[in-house]
Amino acid sequence: MKTATLNKSDIGKCIDLLLQSDLRVIAPRLIPRLDEDGTDSIDVLTFTEVDSGDDHQVGEGLLPLNGVKEFLFAKHEPLFAYEKRGKKIEIIPVHHEYPQTVIIGVRPCDAASIASLESVFSDANAGFEDPFFTERRSRTTFVTYSCTAPDASCFCTSVNLAPDSAKGSDLHLTELGDGRLHVEVLTEAGEAVANKLETLLEGEGDQAAREKAGATVHEKLTRLRNSAPIMDWLMDTANFDDEMWERLGEKCIGCGACTFVCPTCHCFDIVDENKGSKGYRIKFWDSCQFDHFTLHASGHNPRDWQFKRYRNRFNCKFKIYPEKFETPGCVGCGRCIRACPVNLDITEYMAEVAHKAANPNAMKADPDFE
Amino acid sequence: MIEQIRNQARKLLEDGDVDVVIGYAEGSDPSRTTPVFIRKAKDVDKLIYDPRCINSLPLYLNKRHEYTRKGWKKTAIIGKGCDIRAIVQLIAENQLKRDEIYILGVPCEGQVSHPEKWDGSLHDGNRATKCIGCDVMTPHETDFFPGTKPDVDRSSPYEVTSPKVANLMELELDKRFAFWRTDFDRCFKCYACREVCPHCSCNVCITDETTPSWIDPAAHKKGVFSWHLTRAMHLVGRCTGCGECTRACPMDIQVDLFNQRMKEVVQESYSYKPGYSLEDKHPLITYQVDDREDFIK
Ligand code: SF4
Ligand code: SF4
Ligand code: SF4
Ligand code: SF4
Ligand code: SF4
Ligand code: SF4
């Protein structure tokens, strides 16, 4: 593995060099607000396209609200257009642009989630290929950045990841604490980016200092859960009807916030947007938290109440996903915890399951619940 | 104060007067609280109340939550003034009967807008905008109130609208549009703004209807704008200004600016503000000969 160092203050210059090579660059940016006089807003950090190295927050803030998912799995996109002519329907292909892209400043949890999306959308793993996803994926390079200040909702270390993990990265940056970044070139795509930044990269990286810097951040994580017993417990079908689901899930209001912010959630719906005799078939994000997600045409809904929908989300992350794929169902980013308006916390479920696995008849949150 | 609330909640549960007490409990990290449903008298000590209790709990009284509500013949609920406005509106809309609930009113000095802004106390830097000009800090409709309720005049002024509404209204139309375009670009149609609203009561929201599909479900510009404008219009004269739609938005889009503006329109047109009195007549379902109609163009 090739390593180097880079001055943190040169990130803007890196972005400019990438832009000069006609690459689309996406980085965390603060969205300007209407004014600053109200308290009802927080700083909105999102991954957005940048047009100059002056305006970015790479390495600042924690997680952009949106994550990188939307740049691979679009929020909405037309699959094709159609036109009815008499009794015939003509299918018209829609042209999609897939610009060569570098996403810079991606945190390790988000980087790890890319492989999870690939499991679902790419041929090798799913036996099916979503060409929109794979086209974008093959043209996107991820420049990742170790965390320095995880918050109270982060729990990557509880799902076998780490705040300095380079999983899913093409080129990984870690702050050494002295204004320098340790650079790890991990893939060919990362190498191609490194070549463009050649004038800014110096010598060899300091691997020992990088390991040390990473380790200090591990200690800052406070939300620690044991995810080891979860899958086994979920695999026991008797537990599917455990009373815990209803009791823990009753406050869930069924918004899709947790799923839409989740970097590994990948559910979508398809609809025809029709205008007269022509239209588009559109694919767009969906959520298992919606009451009509599994509604059958007959009117029957196997997930008829909200706690069952939340049960599905938990099972999706910790049973269905790991059973089918080798990639993580949950990367511990904590976005769903930050986003949930009623503080329904996935790690509370994790703790409850671990407790249940050890004490089958007792519920942690409500010890004498019958 | 919370001790008095806990004692009363305990008494209500012990005497079988209510089946459940809806309140706030400590959340999963120190800056958060969470809605809690207390069913046993011995659990009342879980109840807390402080400036982190911004959630509008009456949401759970909406018939939409029939499953959660099942078996609750009588429900006690902890209510700040603005929550009680929501309750009054729910009663007006026949979501709930007054005698099905027992309101444990709490005084309120304001609430912190976001958990991220909680630093141990409430101050001007973290107070939610809805609280700045609040006129129901001492709640108006209660069954129990710790201490004695001061007799406050609620006739004026109307609760303050966020200064952002005025700022937006001053902008040229194209600039105002540009503001919403930037913000709506982030909207992915998760509908947290709908699900969290105590007054979004429809079992099938118009945006979920498929035959025909009135609003494009995809989160492109058309789908997003038509959703938000429809949502705003469906809450005219009904929104009680809890600000939950904005608080819940995971992309920090201030959707309640629409609702606040519509609230102003209703106030200017009918001198009416929802959720203050069980006797109110509702402007959108009553007709008076002197109703103004100059806004219909
Ligand atoms: S389930 Fe929650 S913590 Fe896990 S990856 Fe999704 S948003 Fe992040
Ligand atoms: S948690 Fe729900 S929305 Fe997310 S991937 Fe699983 S089924 Fe889909
Ligand atoms: S867990 Fe929270 S964010 Fe997810 S659907 Fe339920 S209320 Fe919404
Ligand atoms: S609006 Fe009034 S009652 Fe409601 S939280 Fe703010 S200050 Fe309290
Ligand atoms: S909560 Fe926010 S992101 Fe979700 S639909 Fe409403 S405005 Fe859009
Ligand atoms: S529209 Fe927003 S502010 Fe108005 S009642 Fe609903 S959630 Fe509250």
Side-chain angles (χ1 to χ4, degrees):
Chain A
M1 181 181 63
K2 214 174 109 184
T3 59
T5 54
L6 168 74
N7 282 328
K8 192 182 173 196
S9 54
D10 283 344
I11 288 181
K13 285 188 201 153
C14 292
I15 292 177
D16 284 330
L17 283 174
L18 296 172
L19 287 169
Q20 280 157 27
S21 319
D22 283 334
L23 290 163
R24 179 172 72 141
V25 181
I26 288 160
R29 278 180 62 211
L30 279 175
I31 298 297
R33 304 310 300 258
L34 180 65
D35 55 46
E36 302 303 325
D37 59 2
T39 56
D40 283 355
S41 62
I42 45 177
D43 285 344
V44 181
L45 189 69
T46 57
F47 278 111
T48 351
E49 190 170 345
V50 287
D51 47 24
S52 115
D54 300 335
D55 182 14
H56 73 85
Q57 299 286 323
V58 176
E60 305 300 322
L62 187 59
L63 286 170
L65 293 180
N66 55 346
V68 296
K69 174 168 85 171
E70 66 182 62
F71 302 102
L72 300 173
F73 164 39
K75 289 196 273 187
H76 55 86
E77 65 195 338
L79 301 176
F80 54 79
Y82 60 84
E83 188 163 355
K84 280 183 230 156
R85 294 211 182 94
K87 285 198 173 150
K88 278 183 113 178
I89 298 178
E90 195 191 337
I91 304 292
I92 307 150
V94 174
H95 176 73
H96 286 263
E97 295 278 347
Y98 301 111
Q100 197 71 38
T101 301
V102 177
I103 311 187
I104 181 167
V106 181
R107 296 296 187 184
C109 49
D110 278 353
S113 75
I114 298 154
S116 303
L117 294 175
E118 264 172 349
S119 298
V120 182
F121 290 127
S122 77
D123 188 29
N125 304 296
F128 169 81
E129 181 172 325
D130 179 313
F132 307 98
F133 177 90
T134 49
E135 289 289 343
R136 288 196 188 90
R137 174 67 190 96
S138 68
R139 286 177 180 75
T140 309
T141 307
F142 293 93
V143 178
T144 58
Y145 202 110
S146 294
C147 292
T148 49
D151 76 4
S153 299
C154 295
F155 63 100
C156 53
T157 54
S158 302
V159 289
N160 306 320
L161 286 165
D164 62 335
S165 157
K167 261 187 206 159
S169 171
D170 294 307
L171 192 112
H172 187 63
L173 308 173
T174 305
E175 285 185 18
L176 294 175
D178 55 1
R180 289 180 313 147
L181 295 165
H182 177 79
V183 183
E184 292 160 70
V185 184
L186 298 152
T187 62
E188 268 176 39
E191 176 105 45
V193 166
N195 288 342
K196 297 196 195 315
L197 308 179
E198 217 179 347
T199 51
L200 300 168
L201 298 180
E202 281 167 32
E204 297 240 320
D206 184 344
Q207 195 67 27
R210 179 252 187 264
E211 299 302 335
K212 202 167 147 243
T216 34
V217 182
H218 280 235
E219 288 157 23
K220 295 188 188 166
L221 275 120
T222 51
R223 198 180 284 267
L224 305 173
R225 296 287 184 268
N226 178 9
S227 59
I230 296 179
M231 185 163 166
D232 282 344
W233 191 85
L234 295 175
M235 290 300 277
D236 183 347
T237 46
N239 292 330
F240 190 70
D241 290 318
D242 194 281
E243 75 262 16
M244 148 193 136
W245 299 113
E246 180 161 1
R247 186 41 58 93
L248 280 184
E250 64 185 352
K251 66 186 174 186
C252 175
I253 60 172
C255 63
C258 52
T259 53
F260 278 55
V261 296
C262 176
T264 65
C265 273
H266 49 261
C267 286
F268 60 86
D269 197 357
I270 292 176
V271 73
D272 285 350
E273 285 183 5
N274 203 58
K275 231 185 191 175
S277 60
K278 51 186 174 181
Y280 290 94
R281 182 155 293 179
I282 310 271
K283 170 175 159 226
F284 61 99
W285 288 6
D286 198 359
S287 163
C288 64
Q289 299 308 296
F290 293 161
D291 57 4
H292 48 282
F293 186 78
T294 47
L295 181 63
H296 299 178
S298 65
H300 173 67
N301 190 346
R303 296 187 202 133
D304 46 1
W305 301 111
Q306 191 54 38
F307 78 90
K308 298 184 185 172
R309 296 173 203 132
Y310 196 85
R311 176 175 64 191
N312 176 69
R313 175 164 155 76
F314 191 80
N315 273 273
C316 179
K317 299 301 175 203
F318 293 104
K319 172 175 171 274
I320 305 170
Y321 222 99
E323 214 185 337
K324 282 197 177 139
F325 312 114
E326 267 149 32
T327 49
C330 166
V331 294
C333 69
R335 277 200 183 81
C336 55
I337 303 172
R338 295 180 202 96
C340 180
V342 297
N343 190 230
L344 197 160
D345 182 329
I346 195 164
T347 64
E348 303 266 286
Y349 271 77
M350 295 169 75
E352 191 65 61
V353 169
H355 183 82
K356 273 262 171 180
N359 319 272
N361 297 316
M363 196 175 152
K364 185 167 162 278
D366 194 357
D368 52 3
F369 173 60
E370 316 85 36
Chain B
M1 190 252 306
I2 188 61
E3 272 313 315
Q4 287 164 277
I5 295 283
R6 285 176 185 162
N7 288 339
Q8 187 66 12
R10 185 179 295 115
K11 187 169 170 302
L12 290 168
L13 286 164
E14 271 169 3
D15 296 351
D17 289 342
V18 301
D19 302 300
V20 66
V21 179
I22 307 180
Y24 304 93
E26 284 296 342
S28 66
D29 72 53
S31 61
R32 290 167 211 271
T33 64
T34 185
V36 68
F37 308 128
I38 305 279
R39 295 171 169 92
K40 294 189 195 105
K42 69 171 186 50
D43 290 334
V44 296
D45 290 336
K46 285 186 185 165
L47 292 172
I48 58 156
Y49 179 66
D50 60 37
R52 296 171 299 154
C53 299
I54 192 167
N55 283 48
S56 179
L57 300 176
L59 158 72
Y60 293 109
L61 301 175
N62 191 299
K63 280 184 181 156
R64 197 154 44 91
H65 291 280
E66 61 176 316
Y67 189 81
T68 306
R69 275 174 64 171
K70 77 179 163 18
W72 298 352
K73 282 193 209 66
K74 186 142 180 169
T75 306
I77 183 165
I78 292 185
K80 312 181 289 291
C82 54
D83 303 334
I84 294 169
R85 286 185 62 196
I87 293 174
V88 169
Q89 185 64 18
L90 286 167
I91 294 170
E93 295 185 13
N94 205 19
Q95 291 291 325
L96 176 73
K97 293 197 177 64
R98 179 67 182 88
D99 61 10
E100 288 173 333
I101 50 157
Y102 186 97
I103 304 173
L104 295 158
V106 280
C108 180
E109 287 169 20
Q111 296 289 331
V112 172
S113 66
H114 292 85
E116 290 82 357
K117 296 195 170 181
W118 174 249
D119 53 12
S121 70
L122 173 78
H123 47 77
D124 288 350
N126 61 14
R127 184 181 281 108
T129 319
K130 69 167 177 176
C131 304
I132 294 167
C134 172
D135 57 0
V136 283
M137 289 182 159
T138 305
H140 46 305
E141 175 75 28
T142 57
D143 294 303
F144 176 83
F145 187 77
T148 25
K149 269 197 283 180
D151 201 6
V152 277
D153 173 19
R154 263 185 295 273
S155 54
S156 67
Y158 292 140
E159 81 269 37
V160 167
T161 307
S162 164
K164 288 185 189 178
V165 175
N167 290 359
L168 264 180
M169 293 307 288
E170 273 165 25
L171 291 181
E172 302 283 334
L173 264 185
D174 57 336
K175 292 228 177 71
R176 212 186 299 164
F177 191 61
F179 166 81
W180 285 114
R181 240 193 356 233
T182 316
D183 267 30
F184 281 167
D185 209 33
R186 297 199 297 282
C187 176
F188 40 33
K189 296 188 103 177
C190 68
Y191 300 118
C193 48
R194 172 186 73 191
E195 296 302 333
V196 82
C197 176
H199 305 304
C200 269
S201 307
C202 300
N203 280 332
V204 181
C205 173
I206 188 168
T207 189
D208 290 337
E209 284 190 7
T210 51
T211 46
S213 171
W214 304 100
I215 295 173
D216 290 341
H220 44 51
K221 283 191 181 65
K222 183 164 159 249
V224 170
F225 270 89
S226 46
W227 155 241
H228 283 295
L229 297 179
T230 309
R231 192 193 73 86
M233 295 316 286
H234 284 191
L235 285 147
V236 172
R238 309 173 52 229
C239 162
T240 45
C242 64
E244 286 287 89
C245 42
T246 286
R247 181 186 69 85
C249 177
M251 299 310 279
D252 200 45
I253 303 165
Q254 290 175 274
V255 282
D256 78 320
L257 293 176
F258 281 120
N259 305 96
Q260 294 194 47
R261 174 63 196 138
M262 294 320 293
K263 173 197 73 182
E264 290 181 334
V265 172
V266 171
Q267 286 174 354
E268 285 155 15
S269 308
Y270 304 106
S271 307
Y272 169 75
K273 34 181 191 169
Y276 282 84
S277 156
L278 290 167
E279 272 78 54
D280 272 344
K281 283 189 179 155
H282 292 258
L284 297 189
I285 49 170
T286 40
Y287 171 73
Q288 274 164 299
V289 275
D290 60 346
D291 277 350
R292 68 174 264 219
E293 43 194 55
D294 56 342
F295 58 89
I296 301 172
K297 290 187 186 122

